[in-house]
Amino acid sequence: MSTWLGRAYERLRSNPWPVLLFLLGAVIRMIYTGAVPAGLNQDEASIGYDAYAILHYGIDRNGIHLPIHLIAWGSGQNALYAYLSMPFIWLFGLNPGSVRAISLIMGLIGMAVFYLLAKRIFTTRSASIAAMFLIAINPWHIMMSRWALESNLLPTLILLAVYFLIRSFESPRWTYGFTIMLGLSLYAYGTAYFFVPVFALCSVFLLLYKRAVPLKAIIWNVLLFVLLAIPILLFIVINRMQQLDSVVTPLFSIPKLTMPRVEEVSSVFSGQLLQTAFGNLRALIKLLVSGSDGLPWNSISPYGYAYPLGLPLAIIGLTALLPSFQKRDPKGLGQSVVLLWLLASVLMACITSVNINRINVIFFPLMLLMTSGLMWLGKKWKPSVPLSAAVMAVFGLLFVTVYFRDFPNEIGPAFHESIGEAVQYASQESDGKIYITDRVNMPYIYVLFYQKINPHTFLDTVQYANPGAAFQQVTSFDRYVFGQPVPSGEEAASYIIWNGDPLPADIDGYKLKRFANYTVLIAASGTESSAAIPAAGEAPLLEGISNGGFEEGAAGWSFTPGTGIGNNKPYQGGSLAYLDPGSDRSITQTFSVPVTAEYTLSAWISSGGEGGKLGIRVNGAVIAEQELPRNEEYQEVTLHMLALQQNQATEIYITGGNGWINLDEVRLER
């Protein structure tokens, strides 16, 4: 043991860069894991809840016992991510962090294996360091490692398979690791149904052509692969043939979907194969050139999947690796595998609708080609390597800044940030029915997730608007009703509405609680109205504005790029809001007051320059505004005698100026 530790220490001392770069990448992927991306995507909530239900009750939300594939919305969701998440849900409970934990772990494993793979493919120390640098700061891999989409498993499983395949050139026993990883990949994501057989066949032909592995070992691996693939093969057959039904065994179940999502792949084999394939290929080329698929959770412009320098480096690297097909040495074999990996990925992209999630197996080979391109440039002109690394590092720094500063506010509405808080609050504060807005994608799944509903309760009470559809819409279950809420003071009920929807005219009859994107209205039947006026001598009643001290982060407020929440120098408490210099920066909150009256708006503000503004708008028209002077110490800025009408759409705004602005303790009083 001491000898092994001594060797490891000597390696680290002689070449610390791989470890340092790994630690850098690990920190970027681990920090604020449960909070960024803000909110929770409906697919994350779906796979998280089904994992919780199977773990504790043995069935998913559709009542299937230990399914090899989830029914989910109706058209299916791959199950491997759910099963791998169960230890974290068991240890830490059901929450965004525990559901995203497996993506984080696979991201860390992916970084380490990518480095080890590069060491065997390129053999030089500089190439393996370059590979670790590229993966550590790669925007696609960072984003993929931080949220719980089931397709995120597939690239890392294929990466492991490729690593084991290249090790098998040294010893045939590694082929079993290759086969097991490919077999598991079939349960990770639907695109594997095409990619895995194609890549496996290409690999077998390569092994036979290069005489790298004995035929006997290949036969045993084929038998092992068939054994691993039988359940998912039965699943595909059952869901392709109408007359077949689901299969239930004591160890697992093979469900029948309402409408199988594998049709997305198999539909190209109808009558327009070439037309569809060429269309998908054009979409792939467009994505690779632009760096984006237009989905905000997959990439951030202009950084794309590998920064603007990534594709030119990959093209250079592809040209440099093409001659490797003629080589029989281990280095040539490894590089041939990378080219086959790329080829199988492109073929897969031709038979599926292209976006970054669906073609994610292509990005690891592209990064290896980028490494090859960087090394080729270094041979031609040595300064090109540090120059390229410096450019990539600058892009990496800018990307990380945008990702943690601006991205949470931009992705929050798409990931329904604060719907969980609203559901929990309404469920705790009321005993009656809870009506939930349909401005949330599949709102019922958030109730299941955050309230940890017994799946038997869900199955016994659920009502569908379109039973049997690919995406079944739940209209109600238990005491929860989904649609566009119409608050009625005649019913002792709660309502969760989107913050952009109008409040009811009789707002006095409701207890109101605002969150980042959603508002809870609780009918005040049997309780004191939330609009009660304080008695003489009591403190002034705070009205309308929520989270004025920013102690709940961004909740209740809207932020443009260049603004956010900080904790460097708050006026009170532990948080403040800030605006970077620029008149295009703004922080706003929309609210309404429950009583027609005159109000006073106050805020504690410090500023590094002039030109900023604090103001109030009603129905889009400015009714009061004050320019902010330069003052690096906090001062109270006040707008007096604001005549606000009950239930009017009112907005407080702070806009940027010539210097930074810090904002804290925003209050509205009457």
Side-chain angles (χ1 to χ4, degrees), residues 145-167:
S145 302
R146 296 186 59 89
W147 71 297
L149 195 64
E150 81 266 26
S151 63
N152 293 349
L153 288 178
L154 183 59
T156 306
L157 291 174
I158 299 301
L159 176 68
L160 284 162
V162 170
Y163 176 73
F164 291 139
L165 176 62
I166 290 177
R167 292 297 301 267

Side-chain angles (χ1 to χ4, degrees), residues 508 528-536 538-541 543 594-597 599 670:
D508 288 358
E528 186 178 337
S529 170
S530 62
I533 299 176
E538 292 184 0
L541 185 68
E543 299 284 356
V595 176
T596 298
Y599 293 81
R670 59 181 164 87

